[in-house]
Amino acid sequence: MAVRVRFAPSPTGHLHIGGVRTALFNYLFAKHHGGDFIFRIEDTDLERNVPGAEEEILKGFRWLGFDWAEGPDIGGPYGPYRCTERLNIYEEYANRLRDTGAIYPCFCTPEELEAERELAQKEGRMPRYSGKCRHLTEEQRAEKLRQGLVPNWRFAIPAGQEISFVDHIRGPVTFQADDIGDFVVIKSNGIPTYNFQVVIDDALMHITHVIRGEEHLSNTPRQILIYQALGFTVPEFAHLPQVLNTNRKKLSKRDPNVMPVHVYREKGYLPEAIVNFLALLGWSPGGEQEIMSMAEIAALFDLDRVNKSGAVFDTDKLKWMAGQYIRQLPVETLTEMVEDQLERHHVSLPEGKDRAWLQRVVSLYQEQMTCAEDFVTLAAGFFTPDITWNEEALRVLREEGALAVVDAYRQLCEQAEEWTPEASRARFKQIQSARGVKGRALFMPVRAAVTGEVHGPDLQQSISCLPKEWVLKRLQGAIAAASKSQPEV
Ligand code: GLU
């Protein structure tokens, strides 16, 4: 049987990276087995739906390089793919369960249910519905309906049953039906609950494998009971371990180290890097190789190499991996991405500078970038004449002989006709022979003076990329700044 899997997000907010990991594992599983990956939008929790969220989710996945066989945007043979457009379908199946008595109307008020829950808690019992309305007679039910009460419909859990399945990641799992209270399948407003809707949809969409987060594990026995009550084939299940933060706590959507997918896109991360990183979040290819394309991962991917324990979201590793991908880019492509970032941050090129110039500056920083946006901060000194000198730079400038070197270099710049890396190198050579300074004592004061920092990319390239007037101004400024703040001896 051809594999069919689905990702079924609720459009309740931004696309979160944990959700992408779940979708990705489904996607890779489908690709590995030559099957289909399907999108379904689970929007029946009306109050939680956020306008625009569905578009953002699909846009995020398109950017990440997913393609899908069926979905709300492209339709398909088992549509509609938005649950609120399937209410008549749920109604039809609810009627079947009403006819067989598998579900019954519950007239309990929220206050009554709350009181039951509190009592259970006080007595140290697991809170679950008492089954009070299950035992109402036909007359009692008819009477309540006559009074205008609108019931929720609950699934009547068969007593004493064991519900077992073999999870692809955890192995055999068993639940006792007696531990599960009769749960609501159709709310009084006629909308199905998740546990009911998901079964109808997965069954009618011929989903073969349900791969989802571990937080749904306790829903699975409820869903299996509904499959059985409707005579549907039960699909296979795989519950993915949680994504954890570095304190090994469940990763929160609000974790400051983790951004929604659209933010990674806006900052100019490469989608291939995000995919690669997320694939390794709880799955391992079994070899040493870590940098892999979606196709390479899909060729190797299967559920048997998914870890049982939680996977830690390591931001440093993401940055490292993102940097690896940025390095592999042709500098022309990276320059285009950087142009978008400069525009986003309202930074314009210095007067007279063009794209070829920008490309030279980009190549100076390519090794250090994890995303295109990093350039805006790393290369800030190339976009404004004025800089400040950090403590380390000032310390270097105050070393014996440093300012003399800076001044000598400044004088040579003033006379310079050629403004190239070679010409800059020649100026240093000249100072070296005239003054006998070399190495760090020669280059470091000039670097500190021109960039305000002691670390940075190739000095000759950097200087030649900067406008001559800016370099002169900074050399002069550095001399003033270092002399002024020189501690009294
Ligand atoms: N809409 C559910 C969620 O976002 C889907 C759960 C499932 O995959 O069954 O958690």
Side-chain angles (χ1 to χ4, degrees):
M1 193 173 36
V3 162
R4 284 176 60 83
V5 294
R6 82 318 190 258
F7 182 59
S10 300
T12 54
H14 293 309
L15 176 58
H16 188 252
I17 210 97
V20 176
R21 204 258 320 219
T22 304
L24 179 62
F25 280 27
N26 273 282
Y27 187 78
L28 293 169
F29 183 75
K31 291 282 149 185
H32 182 83
H33 292 283
D36 283 336
F37 172 82
I38 291 150
F39 261 110
R40 182 173 70 226
I41 297 292
E42 299 201 330
D43 56 352
T44 52
D45 197 347
L46 304 179
E47 291 94 66
R48 296 189 59 222
N49 289 346
V50 172
E54 177 186 319
E55 288 72 25
E56 185 192 311
I57 290 170
L58 295 182
K59 189 172 168 193
F61 281 108
R62 249 176 249 120
W63 175 69
L64 288 164
F66 283 57
D67 58 74
W68 42 98
E70 296 156 38
D73 54 337
I74 51 172
Y78 304 105
Y81 293 87
R82 233 173 253 117
C83 296
T84 47
E85 293 167 15
R86 300 172 61 81
L87 296 180
N88 56 334
I89 303 176
Y90 308 128
E91 185 57 26
E92 181 191 329
Y93 285 91
N95 283 337
R96 290 196 195 180
L97 294 183
R98 281 187 189 107
D99 291 347
T100 60
I103 63 175
Y104 64 86
C106 167
F107 299 93
C108 293
T109 62
E111 293 74 30
E112 284 172 296
L113 296 172
E114 185 50 38
E116 257 189 23
R117 241 192 312 272
E118 275 173 19
L119 186 67
Q121 245 154 16
K122 222 162 63 201
E123 294 175 358
R125 285 181 287 119
M126 227 176 17
R128 63 188 174 88
Y129 181 59
S130 64
K132 191 163 139 195
C133 290
R134 185 166 170 172
H135 309 294
L136 294 179
T137 62
E138 275 313 314
E139 291 75 54
Q140 286 170 316
R141 282 180 187 159
E143 173 53 27
K144 295 210 184 258
L145 290 174
R146 246 195 318 279
Q147 288 168 13
L149 297 177
V150 189
N152 289 311
W153 287 81
R154 285 185 188 269
F155 190 88
I157 302 271
Q161 198 175 310
E162 257 188 4
I163 307 151
S164 298
F165 62 95
V166 180
D167 187 278
H168 274 265
I169 294 162
R170 324 174 128 243
V173 185
T174 299
F175 287 89
Q176 303 300 329
D178 292 345
D179 291 338
I180 307 172
D182 293 350
F183 56 96
V184 175
V185 291
I186 305 286
K187 292 184 272 184
S188 55
N189 61 4
I191 307 269
T193 59
Y194 156 71
N195 274 318
F196 185 65
Q197 161 263 309
V198 76
V199 170
I200 309 302
D201 291 341
D202 285 342
L204 299 185
M205 293 180 182
H206 300 282
I207 299 303
T208 56
H209 295 76
V210 170
I211 304 170
R212 60 185 170 201
E214 191 175 83
E215 67 277 13
H216 286 293
L217 187 64
S218 62
N219 286 321
T220 302
R222 292 170 172 81
Q223 294 171 15
I224 289 177
L225 288 172
I226 300 174
Y227 279 103
Q228 290 169 344
L230 286 166
F232 287 145
T233 309
V234 181
E236 310 216 8
F237 291 98
H239 291 89
L240 303 175
Q242 287 183 331
V243 181
L244 308 173
N245 63 22
T246 36
N247 296 326
R248 302 200 67 85
K249 295 262 152 47
K250 184 177 163 33
L251 188 74
S252 149
K253 287 195 182 182
R254 279 168 289 280
D255 190 301
N257 291 316
V258 185
M259 301 174 284
V261 172
H262 74 97
V263 180
Y264 288 100
R265 187 182 67 232
E266 284 158 14
K267 285 176 173 288
Y269 278 82
L270 289 170
E272 295 83 0
I274 308 273
V275 161
N276 192 161
F277 171 76
L278 290 178
L280 298 179
L281 212 53
W283 171 79
S284 70
E288 290 294 302
Q289 196 187 344
E290 289 208 287
I291 303 292
M292 286 180 287
S293 69
M294 180 90 98
E296 286 170 319
I297 298 168
L300 296 172
F301 187 87
D302 221 337
L303 294 171
D304 52 4
R305 295 201 66 92
V306 175
N307 295 335
K308 287 189 182 55
S309 52
V312 175
F313 190 101
D314 179 348
T315 319
D316 291 338
K317 178 152 183 195
L318 171 58
K319 288 197 175 139
W320 170 80
M321 192 166 274
Q324 298 293 314
Y325 275 85
I326 291 275
R327 275 176 219 190
Q328 288 174 8
L329 274 189
V331 64
E332 295 79 20
T333 314
L334 184 56
T335 304
E336 275 169 35
M337 292 172 65
V338 161
E339 279 178 321
D340 291 343
Q341 294 301 322
L342 292 173
E343 199 176 307
R344 208 162 75 87
H345 289 269
H346 312 291
V347 177
S348 36
L349 300 192
E351 218 182 301
K353 298 300 183 197
D354 58 10
R355 187 139 202 253
W357 171 83
L358 181 62
Q359 191 164 306
R360 279 179 65 204
V361 184
V362 169
S363 66
L364 292 178
Y365 288 100
Q366 183 160 9
E367 294 273 305
Q368 279 164 267
M369 288 156 67
T370 57
C371 62
E373 191 188 48
D374 284 351
F375 181 83
V376 178
T377 330
L378 286 169
F382 288 85
F383 294 85
T384 166
D386 304 311
I387 54 163
T388 52
W389 293 268
N390 69 22
E391 275 306 309
E392 267 179 302
L394 287 172
R395 213 173 300 130
V396 165
L397 290 167
R398 287 185 205 127
E399 280 169 18
E400 204 183 321
L403 290 185
V405 169
V406 172
D407 198 47
Y409 187 80
R410 186 191 60 80
Q411 286 177 31
L412 291 176
C413 283
E414 243 166 17
Q415 301 151 17
E417 278 168 16
E418 249 197 274
W419 201 250
T420 59
E422 296 71 35
S424 173
R425 208 165 289 123
R427 292 194 285 274
F428 280 105
K429 278 248 154 64
Q430 223 177 314
I431 299 173
Q432 182 173 341
S433 12
R435 308 186 147 256
V437 260
K438 55 182 183 169
R440 186 185 174 279
L442 176 62
F443 297 110
M444 201 50 111
V446 176
R447 175 184 289 285
V450 174
T451 68
E453 293 168 14
V454 297
H455 305 289
D458 185 272
L459 184 59
Q460 316 306 347
Q461 288 286 349
S462 300
I463 290 174
S464 67
C465 282
L466 286 164
K468 181 174 165 179
E469 321 79 75
W470 293 13
V471 172
L472 286 171
K473 193 170 174 219
R474 289 178 189 185
L475 291 166
Q476 227 147 20
I479 295 171
S483 328
K484 191 165 61 189
S485 50
Q486 195 123 32
E488 307 236 325
V489 193

